[in-house]
Amino acid sequence: MTRAVCPGSFDPVTHGHLDVIQRTARVVDHVIVAVGTNISKNALFTPDERVEMLIEECAQWGNVEVTLFRGLLVDFCTANSIDVISKGLRATDFGYELQMAQMNRQLTGVDTIFLPTAPQWAFVSSSLVREVATLGGDVGPFLPAKIAERTMARVASRNAGAGNRM
Ligand code: PNS
């Protein structure tokens, strides 16, 4: 039984992420979507909220589970008998992703497979989605409907808070 991990921040999960998760779930027996817990100042959602949203979106696939992870990804892989790390790859990601894949392989021998991001999502990233949403743009096309709703609501409450402080 082959087990893969799809790690990421997923703040928020986009159509591009879900495409990679689905394609990974087609080629391995079991997928764990692992949400990193590093809190960034610019985070829109807490790690628990991201897990909650991912569980809802991934419920359509019977061989995908979602969890949080802390610390090194390679340690998570060892503890969870992961055979391979699966990541989507955009042209702009290549250098850093290659470096991480090689570091992870050096650390414990765990290998990484890269799936080329679907062309229609090649320009989509969570960070751009956060920026566009914060500045009032329409992020509906890049996110599942419920995630888009929650993203807009979170941005609105944040912007209202920021307005109160100005
Ligand atoms: O969606 P992101 O922000 O690109 O996800 C990055 C993530 C969480 C996959 C990456 O930062 C990670 O693996 N963090 C865990 C810490 C770790 O193992 N660092 C060494 C990487 S070589």
Side-chain angles (χ1 to χ4, degrees), residues 2-6 24 28 30-33 82-86 113:
T2 315
R3 291 162 63 81
V5 63
C6 290
T24 304
V28 301
H30 193 77
V31 178
I32 303 183
V33 178
I82 295 294
D83 299 294
V84 73
I85 299 166
S86 176
I113 54 169

Side-chain angles (χ1 to χ4, degrees), residues 111-135:
D111 230 325
T112 300
I113 54 169
F114 293 121
L115 297 178
T117 304
Q120 67 268 39
W121 310 126
F123 59 93
V124 176
S125 68
S126 295
S127 55
L128 272 186
V129 162
R130 291 196 301 275
E131 182 172 328
V132 170
T134 302
L135 298 174

Side-chain angles (χ1 to χ4, degrees), residues 59-122:
Q60 57 188 310
W61 304 302
N63 61 341
V64 177
E65 69 175 294
V66 183
T67 189
L68 288 175
F69 84 100
R70 284 187 182 78
L72 282 179
L73 180 60
V74 290
D75 290 338
F76 177 88
C77 291
T78 304
N80 290 278
S81 306
I82 295 294
D83 299 294
V84 73
I85 299 166
S86 176
K87 289 200 146 184
L89 194 66
R90 294 166 298 207
T92 48
D93 297 329
F94 183 72
Y96 187 51
E97 289 294 343
L98 180 67
Q99 192 182 8
M100 282 201 289
Q102 289 171 330
M103 174 61 82
N104 286 333
R105 183 150 184 250
Q106 182 66 32
L107 288 172
T108 62
V110 68
D111 230 325
T112 300
I113 54 169
F114 293 121
L115 297 178
T117 304
Q120 67 268 39
W121 310 126

